[in-house]
Structure formats: C-alpha cells, structure tokens
Amino acid sequence: MMSYLRNPNSPIFSILLSSSTTPNIKSILFSQQNQKLVKRRDVMSGGGNTVTAMGGGGCGGGSGGGGPCGACKFLRRKCVPGCIFAPYFDSEQGSAYFAAVHKVFGASNVSKLLLHIPVHRRSDAVVTICYEAQARIRDPIYGCVAHIFALQQQVVNLQAEVSYIQAHLASLELPQPQTRPPPPPPQHHQSQPLFFSTPPPLSITDLPPSVSPLPSTYDLASAFNQAASPSSWATQQRRFGDPRHQYGGSLSTSSATVGLGGGNSDLEALAHELLHRQGSPPPAATDDSPSRSMSR
Amino acid sequence: MNPKRCAACKYLRRRCPKDCIFSPYFPPSDPDKFACIHRIYGAGNVSKMLQQLPVQTRAEAVESLSFEAKCRVDDPVYGCVGIISLLQTQIQNTQALLAKTQAEIAVAQNKQNQ
C-alpha cells in the first residue's frame, strides 16, 4: 500500500486532494497496520504493488500484537486473525473513520462489499467508502453527489467559456476589414472576466436513472496516463447523462490538483511531500502547511 | 398481502403500515431502486437517515442515496468517486483547451496589431 501511495499519479490521491474531503483521511492511508503490511510484503516478495492476502498470517489482524483494529475496537469485538477491516483501520484513528462508515453503510454491508473485491483493490475501495461516508455525514441530504453537481456545473461553465472564446478566435481569424469581438457573456459582479455566470439550479432528478458500469478491466492508475477525449457538452448542460459513457475509460494524468476552493490542507501537504520525494516539482502550494512525515 | 405495499416493504416481505417511512419514495413500480439501496446501505440505516431529515428534504436524500448506491453496485471499488475523477479530468482538459485558445487569441490579436 505504501508503494502505491508513493505514486503521485495515484488516482485516489488526486481525487481526494481536489475534493473537499474530510481531513486526516491520510491516517487511513498511512495506518500503522498498512505500514506493517507493506514492510512484510516488501521483505517477502522484494517489492511490488500487489497486496498480499490478509489471511494465513494474521499480517493485519489483531493477533499481530498491536491490539484490535479500529473497526473491532469500535464494534467492541474480538479482532480475529484475518479480520477484513484490520489492514485499513488502525487501532488509533481507524475507529473514528470506521464510526462514520458503520453509521452510513453498516459493518456487515461493508464487509460483504470488501469480500467481493479483489484484495489488491480493497484499499482503494475502503478509501472511497470512507469518503462517501464522511460526505454523507457532512451533508445528509446530498452526500458526495453535491460535489458531483458542483463539478458538473464547473464543466458546463468552462465549456461555455471555451465556446465563447473559440467564437472570438474565429472572428479574429476571419479576413474582415472591421472585426469586432462578440459581446461578452453576462459577467459575475466580481468582475472575473468570462467566468462562471450564475449556474442554473440543478436538481437531483437530473441525475440519470442508471449508470453503466466501467469496463471490468478498468484501471484508473493506467488510464490516468492516457489523454482524455473530451466529448460534446453543448447538449448536456443540465443533464448529468451517463458520465462513464461520456468520458470513456481513458483519463489523463492528474498531477495538478483541481479544487473547488475547499481543498484539504493535510492532504495537499502530503501530496507535496510525496511529489517532492519523487523528485518532481510540487504543484503550487495553496497554504503553508509544513511537510508531514510519512511514517507514523 | 396488501397489493399497495411500497417497494421497500415488498422487498422486506413485511406489512406496509400507513406511516411507512419508505412508501413515499419507493413506489412498487420500481423495485430495483430499493433493492440497490438495501444492498449497499441496509434498510435500517436508510430508515435512520431519513428519520433524521426534515420531511421536505427526504425525497432528494433518497434520490442521492439511490444514485450513490447504483454507482457503488456498478463499480464496487470506486463508486461515486470514479465519476468525480472523470469530471475532474474533464475539467482539466477543458481548462487546458481554454488556455490554449486564449493563447491563440493573443497571437491573433498581436498579428492584427502589427
């Protein structure tokens, strides 16, 4: 898990960094038990990104000497060897995150979900489940769908702006004696040029009745290295449509953070540190948070 | 059995009381909606969540829960976060296109001024 997290192109990092997610979600990512799991895996296999099976060795279970995991601590039950939650919820801060997950999803539902997911993908699943749980607790009505709405609206606004600017460019490039730029669109009263006119109100009923699944071989990590092919937006202003069909499975690299102005300082500092360790220039910092140690 | 049971009570195989918290939001014509929500959240959790909300906001809450549950069923690993990542990528691409077009405008304006 640590080698996966050291990858600055890790999709989970870029997603969570650029979203107004709960602070300290990195404590899930860097739980002590995850570190133990990685160290043991690295010693046994010499590296690699795959997570070994949790069972058979109690590598993440409560019998490892570290006490019960955060989930079993919260549930006040014995943490058995091979506990499905143990690698992802440490005994120190995992309880807090598991509390949210249990409140929204329920321990048994999450357990069933994780059992149906391959072991090497469970860490991502846990992070996204925690994110959704925290989002739902913060916003009991819309949860993380509010964020999706905001992003969708941002896309629509940007696309409108691109269309306007392309029309302006076309007018400049036409060989006419008198070229006047088209009248600008209504601007925000804070005089941000061409940006973000008042968005039309979105409703949850605009969401599609169904969302098609991603391909079974969908791999965000590799897909992030491919360029995305933007699709036509002009007819999708108020409908969410089927985003997986619209965007396809190809995504571009996401090293820069695109936030809504509500980025998480802990996660951003963590991303900066990771990028610095990788030797690549960190993105522009939005705050002066000191770099944090990766080890706990 | 009462033929007018809501989808939730039909799924749970129980009597649908008059004050059933699910009945306004899970009509019997759409059984998959509750099935999806129950699979991810569980009926008890959804009931508790709805009880804590004002009545006028429950419909929207159910729709968002239904959407998230559907996303999670379709993509058990990333759920809604997969969509968020796609949208963020789309935003980055559009911003890059915007910057490129603005640069082209600057070049074109320079040419005109010369």
Side-chain angles (χ1 to χ4, degrees), chain B residues 95-111:
Chain B
Q95 285 177 334
L97 179 61
L98 185 66
K100 180 187 163 205
T101 311
Q102 284 172 335
E104 288 174 2
I105 286 176
V107 167
Q109 283 174 340
N110 265 345
K111 278 185 188 170

Side-chain angles (χ1 to χ4, degrees), chain A residues 1-7 38 41-42 45-52 119-121 123 221:
Chain A
M1 178 114 172
M2 287 292 287
S3 57
Y4 166 80
L5 294 171
R6 286 199 189 103
N7 180 7
V38 170
R41 181 190 70 231
D42 285 344
S45 65
N49 283 330
T50 57
V51 178
T52 55
V119 174
H120 66 283
R121 305 199 74 184
S123 54

Side-chain angles (χ1 to χ4, degrees), chain A residues 4 11-12 14-15 18-19 102-106 109 113 117 121 124-125 128-129 131-132 136 140-145 147-148 151-152 154-155 158-159 161-162 165-166 168-169 172-173 179 195 203-204 207-208 210-214 218 220 224 228 230-231 233 240 243-244 247-248 251-254 256 258, chain B residues 30 37-46 48-50 52-54 56-112:
Chain A
Y4 166 80
I12 291 295
S14 61
I15 293 165
S18 57
S19 67
H102 180 61
K103 183 176 177 183
V104 175
F105 293 94
N109 291 329
L113 267 172
I117 294 173
R121 305 199 74 184
D124 280 354
T128 58
I129 286 170
Y131 170 74
E132 285 191 27
R136 180 59 62 176
I141 300 174
Y142 293 105
C144 66
V145 177
H147 188 203
I148 293 174
L151 288 174
Q152 185 194 9
Q154 193 175 352
V155 170
L158 279 172
Q159 192 68 22
E161 195 173 337
V162 164
I165 282 191
Q166 283 176 338
H168 185 196
L169 179 65
L172 284 177
E173 286 175 348
T179 56
F195 287 164
S203 168
I204 196 82
L207 291 173
S210 64
V211 177
S212 299
L214 288 166
Y218 185 74
L220 267 183
F224 266 111
S231 53
W233 286 97
F240 195 43
R244 291 191 174 109
Y247 310 119
L251 302 169
S252 61
T253 52
S254 171
V258 178
Chain B
D30 190 2
I37 282 188
H38 178 63
R39 181 174 158 186
I40 301 298
Y41 296 100
N45 290 331
V46 175
K48 277 186 223 168
M49 279 192 254
L50 291 180
Q52 290 168 0
L53 291 173
Q56 61 271 20
T57 60
R58 288 178 186 173
E60 294 284 304
V62 165
E63 293 302 318
S64 69
L65 283 169
S66 176
F67 179 76
E68 284 189 31
K70 192 71 171 68
C71 288
R72 184 60 65 173
V73 166
D74 292 340
D75 184 356
V77 178
Y78 295 106
C80 272
V81 179
I83 295 176
I84 291 174
S85 81
L86 292 171
L87 283 168
Q88 286 175 347
T89 301
Q90 189 69 41
I91 285 171
Q92 288 175 355
N93 293 340
T94 312
Q95 285 177 334
L97 179 61
L98 185 66
K100 180 187 163 205
T101 311
Q102 284 172 335
E104 288 174 2
I105 286 176
V107 167
Q109 283 174 340
N110 265 345
K111 278 185 188 170
Q112 277 191 350

